[in-house]
Amino acid sequence: MEEIVSKINDWLWSPVLIYGILVAGLIFTFRTKFMQVRFFKDMFVQLVKGEKSSSGVSSFEALSMALAGRIGVGNIAGTATAIGYGGPGSIFWMWVLGFIGAATSYVESTLAQIYKDEKDGVYRGGPAYYLYKFTQKKWIGMIFAVVGVIAMAALMPSVQANSIAGAMDNAFHIPAWVTGAFLVVLIGVIIIGGLKRIAAAASIIVPFMAAAYIIMAIIIIILNFDKIPEVFGLIFSSAFGQNEMYGGIIGAAIAWGVKRGIYANEAGQGTGSHHAAAAEVSHPVKQGFVQAFSIYFDTFLICTATAFIVLFTGAYNVQDEKTGKFLEENIPNIQPGEAFTQSAIEQAFPLAGFGSGFIAIALLFFAFTTIMAYYYIAETNLAFMLEGAKLKISIRVMQVVFLALLFYGSVKTAAIAWALGDVGLGLMVYVNVIGLLFLVKPTLIALKDYEEQKKQGLDPVFDPRKLGIENADYWEKRLEEKEEMKGAV
């Protein structure tokens, strides 16, 4: 089983995908004329603006839901693993991916808003919806929908559950099956409550957990203030193969930086666009900005916090993945992953069990909210595939399967959990990024429209008919209803 999954991963995560993601991000960055820089102020403004309705959530709740999916095991274990196999230079390539990934996130999230649907009183959208609406070929949307359900309901949650169970066992000696049962009960209560309950839980948990983790990183940086030039020098020299110790693994630095960067911030994966579609806004670009900001938040704050915790304390090893040879071994017998971060905090705060306990609790919050986000994405793609009574029955069946696999993920080995997660991630990225390259035009038209309305001092309102954007059914219906109301008055 592990050998088969490993071969699939080798094919999926070939240089074609690794460098293709970077090239796609650069294309979107140039075509939007560096929107992630030009509209940085607007990103902040849109966080607190926006409305709620019976069908949609606020911009902040949509951001919280997206961050719930993005801030997970990838930020702690994934970032540490990138250092373990790609060296400190992998962090630079995570930053590069974060910067250009903001443009990718803008494109996919704006598309999700343009082509969203209102089904059963809830906004639904994402790659399956915009691939179908743009091409008017449902089978193209079905490809992503099927991949999305399999990845989000079966493959990727196992990584989160397994990491929570492992961390709780290491820190508090709680058996994996106990943690698994706890997750099943708690997640079950939330997901059965639907979109509103997921959004409410995320908007409370995400800011709290992120703030606590960043504060921990800041304290460690302050305690090691004298090492700031050394650490930054190490990151940049390793990224370009100038460091003598890591010169031979520059390819690994890029590959692991991109691979784990995508796992952490999900730019190009299409997952964040599902939450973007759920927001109530007057113009799709507004939510595109909010989701672009979430990439900055995830990569430059949370992932960087992990990197600094590990690098400032020197609690890491670097191993050549091909030869198995250690290029640097500072903490013998410690495998890449959350153990690096636990060891780093133990060094900074030499209290028995503090590092293990803090990371266990952080992982519990981080991965818990990610699991909620995964379920919502799976349900959204199921809603694309089915309707009416069939959808309601299928949702209940999927909930049972999702919770059962969540428990299974808690008790199985970490290696197979990560491998399955990478398969799910790779499949979604392939389908979504290829689609985005052909669908970028409506997001550029929408961005130009947003700019022009802002210059006129207006609060931008979206009218796809005026812009020549076809098949934006929700927005057309919304405008028709408003026109009818004005006519009646």
Side-chain angles (χ1 to χ4, degrees), residues 164-199:
I164 293 174
M168 297 303 284
D169 185 22
N170 291 336
F172 308 114
H173 307 294
I174 298 174
W177 71 268
V178 174
T179 301
F182 170 77
L183 287 175
V184 167
V185 172
L186 205 55
I187 291 290
V189 170
I190 293 174
I191 65 175
I192 291 172
L195 169 65
K196 296 290 185 178
R197 190 174 292 178
I198 293 172

Side-chain angles (χ1 to χ4, degrees), residues 241-483:
Q242 300 302 308
N243 186 288
E244 186 177 335
M245 188 178 297
Y246 306 118
I249 61 167
I250 182 172
I254 298 172
W256 278 97
V258 172
K259 188 175 180 179
R260 286 294 169 253
I262 291 176
Y263 208 103
N265 66 40
E266 301 184 0
Q269 188 178 330
T271 47
S273 64
H274 296 84
H275 312 299
E280 184 71 60
V281 291
S282 66
H283 199 290
V285 167
K286 292 181 177 181
Q287 189 56 207
F289 287 164
V290 170
Q291 297 302 323
F293 173 78
S294 74
I295 303 295
Y296 282 159
F297 188 93
D298 176 276
T299 302
F300 292 104
L301 287 180
I302 309 300
C303 287
T304 300
T306 296
F308 284 174
I309 287 172
V310 170
L311 295 176
F312 273 87
T313 57
Y316 64 94
N317 304 322
V318 179
Q319 186 175 7
D320 188 323
E321 193 179 16
K322 294 180 180 178
T323 65
K325 179 183 177 182
F326 280 98
L327 303 177
E328 186 170 6
E329 190 173 16
N330 300 316
I331 43 175
N333 303 318
I334 299 293
Q335 294 298 311
E338 65 268 14
F340 281 9
T341 318
Q342 288 175 324
S343 298
I345 295 176
E346 293 283 1
Q347 286 187 32
F349 303 94
L351 302 172
F354 179 78
S356 296
F358 178 83
I359 293 301
I361 294 171
L363 272 174
L364 174 63
F365 282 118
F366 280 22
F368 178 79
T369 53
T370 299
I371 292 168
M372 289 193 306
Y374 284 174
Y375 169 77
Y376 170 72
I377 294 167
E379 184 181 293
T380 298
N381 283 286
L382 196 62
F384 176 82
M385 299 163 66
L386 302 167
E387 292 183 356
K390 289 182 179 180
L391 174 60
K392 291 180 180 179
I393 294 170
S394 298
I395 284 175
R396 292 305 178 200
V397 171
M398 187 180 72
Q399 287 173 343
V400 172
V401 173
F402 183 87
L403 294 173
L405 291 173
L406 199 62
F407 180 82
Y408 175 66
S410 301
V411 298
K412 67 182 179 181
T413 62
I416 190 64
W418 274 98
L420 288 170
D422 282 344
V423 169
L425 175 63
L427 288 171
M428 293 180 74
V429 171
Y430 256 113
V431 177
N432 187 53
V433 171
I434 291 172
L436 292 179
L437 291 170
F438 291 96
L439 272 63
V440 67
K441 186 176 179 180
T443 71
L444 303 177
I445 295 172
L447 182 60
K448 184 179 179 181
D449 177 60
Y450 175 89
E451 287 184 87
E452 290 175 351
Q453 292 191 52
K454 288 286 286 185
K455 287 178 182 177
Q456 296 171 23
L458 302 173
D459 181 17
V461 175
F462 185 59
D463 184 348
R465 300 170 304 185
K466 183 184 72 174
L467 302 175
I469 296 176
E470 299 179 349
N471 306 316
D473 303 329
Y474 162 78
W475 293 97
E476 291 175 6
K477 181 181 176 183
R478 174 172 168 164
L479 288 168
E480 288 171 2
E481 289 175 349
K482 286 185 176 181
E483 289 169 359

Side-chain angles (χ1 to χ4, degrees), residues 127-146:
Y129 293 80
Y130 55 67
L131 287 168
Y132 161 56
K133 291 285 188 71
F134 185 87
T135 64
Q136 287 295 287
K137 299 182 186 298
K138 191 156 187 177
W139 66 268
I140 295 179
M142 278 289 188
I143 294 174
F144 186 91
V146 171

Side-chain angles (χ1 to χ4, degrees), residues 43-44 46-49 57-71 105 109 198-199 202-203 206-207 209 272 274-281 286-298 373:
M43 293 180 190
F44 278 101
Q46 296 305 326
L47 287 179
V48 295
K49 285 191 175 183
V57 300
S58 69
S59 291
F60 180 74
E61 285 179 330
L63 172 69
S64 296
M65 289 169 66
L67 286 173
R70 291 188 170 114
I71 301 175
S105 183
S109 299
I198 293 172
S203 64
V206 169
M209 70 182 187
H274 296 84
H275 312 299
E280 184 71 60
V281 291
K286 292 181 177 181
Q287 189 56 207
F289 287 164
V290 170
Q291 297 302 323
F293 173 78
S294 74
I295 303 295
Y296 282 159
F297 188 93
D298 176 276

Side-chain angles (χ1 to χ4, degrees), residues 85-104:
Y85 292 118
S90 61
I91 303 306
F92 171 82
W93 294 107
M94 289 184 78
W95 291 339
V96 169
L97 184 70
F99 177 74
I100 65 175
T104 304

